[in-house]
Amino acid sequence: VQYAPFYVADAKNYFRDAGLEVEFDYSFETDGVALVGTDELQFSLASGEQVLLAREQGIPVVYVLAWWQNFPVAVTAKSELDIKEPADLEGVDIGLPGLFGASYIGLRALLNSAGLSEEDVQLDSIGFNQVEALVADQIQAAVVYANNEPIQLEAMGYDLDLIRVADYVPLTSNGLITNEKTIRENPQLVRSMVAAILKAVTASINDPDGAYSVSLDYVEGLEDADRDVQMEILKTSIEFWRPEGAGELGKSNLDAWENMQQVLIDMGLLSGSLDLEAAYTNDFVD
């Protein structure tokens, strides 16, 4: 349901009115980056770290729309353990999907903010079973998406503490990417796609109930899910899409890109600094 804006854009003909015919391809994020990089697809959704990792490998993807203004990864634990801030993670057994992706990047950023390293905690790769592992006390804390697993756990009656990465380190989150060739040869296509998505994000923010209703026709099994839980997931997601302060919907923040790059360098995933001005642009949002 957190992809509601794209379903709204399709159902309300925002794509069509912009001269676009869009097909949704539910693939892994890294596959989307690779396909856009080779110009087999014009657009995909990707988080900031995937863009930087791809560009270091010579894959010419460019981030053109910051859909999520705040990084949604967080660490959660049952309140009885009193894990409330990054420093409290020292010595804690933390479950996460694996040593990859945005969850791992976000955890490292949180640890860095408290002067901790991986050696100061115990990491368990548990796949995407954070809810089950926490309920069964197989782990003390879990790396989650703040708009998903904590809502499920609270609906089950558990009291939780939540440490959001975005409260400590601004990092570039999920957004729309294209490639240098498309920008160079067909900038109007990029401009039309960005405009349609921004219109749909705005509509979803202004009318979450309407966005949810539209999603029922697109998300398999949503009609049989707990509506209250799924609605709360959507509303919490919306708060991550909103810009803070004087920020503008859809615009990237240089500080978030610089922080993301530094975390990747510290982790040894990037060999050095990249040209960030080539990695993202706000021109199409303007």
Side-chain angles (χ1 to χ4, degrees), residues 4-5 120 123 126 139 190 231 246 251 269 272:
D120 295 313
L123 298 184
I126 59 172
I139 52 176
V190 184
M231 214 32 229
K251 280 199 170 183
L269 298 177

Side-chain angles (χ1 to χ4, degrees), residues 52-282:
L52 297 181
L53 293 172
R55 289 193 64 86
E56 183 172 67
Q57 297 173 41
I59 301 173
V61 293
V62 183
Y63 188 98
V64 293
L65 168 68
W67 171 25
W68 291 65
Q69 293 288 310
N70 289 293
F71 203 70
V73 172
V75 174
T76 192
K78 293 179 181 178
S79 296
E80 62 204 47
L81 298 179
D82 202 32
I83 300 173
K84 298 180 180 294
E85 56 186 43
D88 297 332
L89 295 172
E90 185 172 7
V92 171
D93 182 6
I94 305 171
L96 73 168
L99 303 183
F100 58 85
S103 296
Y104 184 39
I105 302 295
L107 175 62
R108 283 293 298 262
L110 273 183
L111 294 176
N112 289 351
S113 73
L116 300 175
S117 68
E118 285 189 41
E119 288 69 34
D120 295 313
V121 298
Q122 179 179 329
L123 298 184
D124 285 334
S125 296
I126 59 172
F128 295 94
N129 298 303
Q130 297 98 318
V131 170
E132 294 82 359
L134 276 174
V135 168
D137 291 323
Q138 295 173 359
I139 52 176
Q140 293 174 291
V143 184
V144 297
Y145 278 77
N147 62 313
N148 193 345
E149 291 89 355
I151 294 169
Q152 296 182 44
L153 286 160
E154 288 173 349
M156 295 165 67
Y158 291 98
D159 292 325
L160 304 171
D161 286 317
L162 189 68
I163 308 172
R164 301 190 337 157
V165 173
D167 292 336
Y168 294 89
V169 187
L171 297 173
T172 305
S173 189
N174 295 336
L176 183 73
I177 65 168
T178 186
N179 55 59
E180 294 176 0
K181 178 183 177 183
T182 300
I183 289 175
R184 183 175 61 252
E185 298 182 358
N186 199 349
Q188 184 55 45
L189 173 63
V190 184
R191 190 169 291 110
S192 297
M193 178 63 84
V194 168
I197 293 173
L198 280 176
K199 185 175 182 180
V201 171
T202 300
S204 301
I205 290 173
N206 292 336
D207 183 14
D209 288 304
Y212 186 91
S213 296
V214 166
S215 299
L216 290 170
D217 293 330
Y218 291 84
V219 182
E220 184 177 353
L222 184 59
E223 61 184 10
D224 299 320
D226 186 320
R227 189 184 191 282
D228 290 340
V229 171
Q230 295 299 318
M231 214 32 229
E232 189 61 28
I233 287 173
L234 177 58
K235 289 180 177 179
T236 305
S237 299
I238 285 173
E239 295 309 309
F240 282 91
W241 307 342
R242 297 181 190 272
E244 294 183 346
E248 187 175 336
L249 191 70
K251 280 199 170 183
S252 279
N253 182 292
L254 177 59
D255 289 343
W257 280 101
E258 290 176 338
N259 288 337
M260 178 64 80
Q261 176 171 255
Q262 191 56 54
V263 169
L264 294 175
I265 291 173
D266 292 343
M267 294 175 68
L269 298 177
L270 283 183
S271 59
S273 297
L274 301 173
D275 180 3
L276 294 179
E277 291 185 359
Y280 82 94
T281 178
N282 286 320

